Amino acid sequence: MDLKGKASLITGGGTGIGRAIALSFAREGASVAVNYSRSEKEAMTTAQEIRDSGVHALAIKADVSQNAQVHEMINKVIEEFGRLDILVNSAGVTTFIPAEDLERLTEEIWDRTMAVNLKGTFFCCRAAVPAMKSHGGGSIINISSIAGTTGIGSSIAYSASKAGVICLTKSLARALAPEIRVNTIAPGFVDSRWTADWPEFRKMHEEATPMKRVAKPEDIAEAALFLVRSDFVTGQVIVVDGGKSI
């Protein structure tokens, strides 16, 4: 897919991985809707940066775990851009809880993690399908994590939610082909505001990674560009972890 003239929606697009993907798509000529739930300032800044580069952009507030808000968001994108060709589900939440501390993983934390990371991804995919099909198809990219394959992550709930995203991706790839391709990116440790307060954890990952560094958000954006452009790739999990998981 050539991104020029296409319309994209990036959930969680104001910060970290989502922001890097939003900026990379804009550089290729795609209009970008930057979704946010709480990071309003960052989303507005990202959207303005894209507009300043001469590309159409808007920031949209929506909690992806709420189906009605997701449908309203998709409708706003279509009203603004006239179409939707690319969806990136980057919105996510986590709570750092050691795996062995089972009692600290409360029902509230479990439900919120699943609601945003897994249910929200499904809601956004489902809502985007009619708009994509009306213009001949599209590309969906879900951001998972190597935690979804290893079971090692910020919490058991987070790892389980990201494993669910991988399974969801494969199911949707079958269900929506050939018009819509659905793929997953599974990053390892990424420099972000989530990990900014964990310098020792970061150093540990650097030393254990064959590439001897952790990922930057731009590394994930490069993988997203590959998946959008590759018209024959669907149902795949692209691991971007510098070789950490081999």
Side-chain angles (χ1 to χ4, degrees), residues 96 189-202:
F96 288 83
F189 188 104
V190 180
D191 264 334
S192 69
R193 63 179 182 175
W194 277 11
T195 58
D197 296 329
W198 295 71
E200 292 182 2
F201 193 52
R202 182 186 192 281

Side-chain angles (χ1 to χ4, degrees), residues 2-8 22-32 53-56 225:
D2 182 357
L3 276 73
K4 191 170 184 179
K6 298 298 192 294
S8 63
L23 294 175
S24 69
F25 285 4
R27 284 192 292 270
E28 297 297 318
S31 300
V32 183
S53 72
V55 177
H56 198 177
L225 281 172

